[in-house]
Amino acid sequence: MDRGILEREPELARLAAAARQAAGGAGSVALVFGEAGIGKSSLVKAMPDLLPPHARVLVGQCDDLATSRPLGPFRDLVGSVGAELARAVTDGGDRHRVYEALHAELAGTPHPAVLVVEDVHWADEASLDALRFLVRRMERLPALLVLTYRDDELSRGHPLRHLLGQVSRAPRVHRLPLARLSLSAVRTLSSAGRLDPAQVYEVTSGNPFFVAEVVAAGGTGGVPPTVVDAVLARLRGLEPATVDALEQLAVVPSAVERPLIDALLTDGVAALVAAEQRGLLTVEPERVAFRHELIRRAVADSLPAARRIDLNRNALAALIARPGSDAARIVHHAAQAGDQDAIARYGPDAARDAAGAGAHREAAAQLRLVLRRRQRYGPAELADLLERYAVESYTIADSAAAVAAQREAVALRRSLGDTLALGADLRWLSRIHWWAGDAGEAQEAAREAVAVLEQAGDERLLALAVSNIAQLRMLSDRYPEAVAHAERAIALARRTEDTAILSHALNNVGMARWRGGDPGGRKQVEESLDVALAAGEVEHACRSYANLIWTLLDNLQYAEADRLLPPAMELAERAEHFGFLTYLHVELAIRRLAAADWEEAERHAEFGMHDFLPARCPALTVLARIRTRCGRPGADELLTEAQEIAVRTRELQRAGPVAAALAEAAWLRGDHDAVAEAAAPVHAEARHLTGIPYGAELAYWLGKSGHPVPVDDDSQHPYALQARGRWREAASIWQAAGCPYEHAAAVAESPHPADKLTALAELDALGAEPLARLVRTELRRLGVRRIPRGPLAATRGNPAGLTDRQLQVMRLLAEGLTNSEIAARLVVSVRTVDNHVRAVLDKLDAPTRRHAAVRAAQLGLLSERET
């Protein structure tokens, strides 16, 4: 089905059934109604494909003219109907002649005739009379009469109401109210443009016209001109007082409650009657709201700046005068009106309210606005605001803003001589530096925080600073030191009865023990999670989840990781802790990489492709390994950046996977010296750490490239088994873990051609062309004559790695065809085309269809156009 008429299957089915009944002589009337842009015309356009063979479809249109055309919709039929009806409506003077000609036309052959009159709310009186004539006779005609109209524009005395009353008394009537699209449908429509479907849904309320225009415009940042024109056209003819009222309400970015309406509008809701009848507003006893957010924004954006400022001043004054007004609303209108004093007064409260509600993006935005007026605050108050802004920025993964604000807060604390506040801010600065990927600065701030707080006499703050040291030692794989610091922090936390710090320290000691080779450490990390969840400490709970999942993934315990990922992501998303949510998405990408689900792995890795370095490094690594294994370009550039980040972090959890990815890529292209260059230095660090897998994998790659290193004979990690030549046992473990690529690679190490052919089939099915190519070379060397060519030969001739079908879709897309048109051309389903288009956009790294066409042209992919 066409993407523009999603979720209209029931309505189309009812129209098709009514047409079939009409073919048998049981005529009827169908009323298709809904708000402007709801898809009435799209439904009519889709109808012919579902009608009985030989059915005739006649479509007439009523127009929004100051002076309507008499019999306008029937004049549109000239050229599609018989000569008698054409002459009758052209002459127009004899109405009875028109009526009889209409009746004869619908009664004639072929059957059935489907007469559609669109936008009947604009019909002239002569057309309404003709329709009344037909409605009374439709049950005896082999025809279906379809009337479309906007039900939100029918005032009490609208001429169409009389006709609708008559229709309601007809024997066979089909009422088809068109609902707005669901979030799922909006997600489908938004997918090709890579837009946030929830955001598109929020501003359009699921109105198909608005959704289509926002998608075509490439986002929700501005109101598309087509929407502005449509909205402003509906304002024409309204009384100036009504327009003034609409403009006043349009600067309020929410539903407007009744007390505020009464304060802003002299005549209250009475001034909104005509706007409500035009379908611009919904009016309830307690509140008034625009029918769609885009309508409000279109009205507001059309205002001159001076008028908009004045209207915001009105709203600001009304809100300040009302006790208990929301501080965020006050600040919004203060900013729009340019009232600096109001921003400085109410901004900190608005940020506190937002943070308390878990709306951390909004809290950061409020504080950002406040800090532009920093000269209005004293040093201590400014330091508090900077610290709050740093914490909120850290929470939403804006590392650069967090570091800058926290540095400034620390400098102010030093100047004030506030030891306790300085120690606390230094601890936060350490955490934020680590979050920004700067291990050296994190360690320095952590040491100073402990030194300052040792002299301050506050055991709670000291406990957190000591636990922070333990965390940094654990992350840098200095496990005995981490355990010592963490146990001291646990003792301090229990003495001060601080559950947040207790959770933090338990996490650190558990991770240090677990990753140091003691499986019992896992229980302490799980205890850390339980403590945090019971205390409502979201950040500490998210960190516990993330550490548990990461280590489970490292240990190939994917089923357990699968169990923890959904609640972890739900918690981080609900609390708007976007740093951890991003990190969890990347962990899910690592999980999908292990399952060789390349597309899903890439989708989740994209969440990490921002400035948040702890997530960006593994995200880059995942994306690079997929490109390496699928033979797509760009892996080297991704790994170069990932390696730079890993060096800055000084952590094996970053450096290990990057080195393994570099080694794998080098081995697949036959550069064995590069394997050693990438793997040897990191292997030297990792080989003594038995609780993490990086040493085993790096030793495996070094051995394959002719640079063997001692292998732990006790290790049962599949890479260690492969390094010892026990490929069959390794393959069994990879298969049990659900790692098809690694399983195929292990089987390919068999000396037997039959096993290699089995591995080759698996690799071909995965699209793993580089390793499949090496296996084919081995089979030829072994003298195997009949080697399958594989399905990916067609992708080797284009630099984007598109399959034959994706190339066809790309070329048709570049010609401007819609997905439904492409589906019809290729004789496939629209859903299939949707998936191909999404894959094409991903492989070409293109945000829109237009960008994809340009990129394809640059790569020479359009030289052989499909016909």
Side-chain angles (χ1 to χ4, degrees), residues 727 730-736 739-748 758-759 762:
W727 64 268
S732 179
I733 294 174
W734 287 124
Q735 187 170 43
C739 301
Y741 180 87
E742 286 80 359
H743 172 262
V747 173
T758 298
E762 293 177 11

Side-chain angles (χ1 to χ4, degrees), residues 315-338:
L316 176 62
L319 288 169
I320 290 176
R322 288 178 56 208
S325 289
D326 189 317
R329 296 179 73 185
I330 292 174
V331 172
H332 169 82
H333 291 290
Q336 295 296 310

Side-chain angles (χ1 to χ4, degrees), residues 23 50 168 184 289 299 304 325 352 481 539 828:
L50 302 176
S168 68
S184 176
V299 175
S325 289
R352 187 173 292 107
E481 294 176 49
E539 181 195 350
V828 297

Side-chain angles (χ1 to χ4, degrees), residues 610-635:
H610 301 290
D611 294 334
F612 176 42
L613 297 185
R616 185 174 179 86
C617 183
L620 288 163
T621 307
V622 168
L623 293 171
R625 291 199 99 149
I626 292 169
R627 295 189 183 193
T628 295
R629 292 177 178 185
C630 293
R632 285 159 39 194

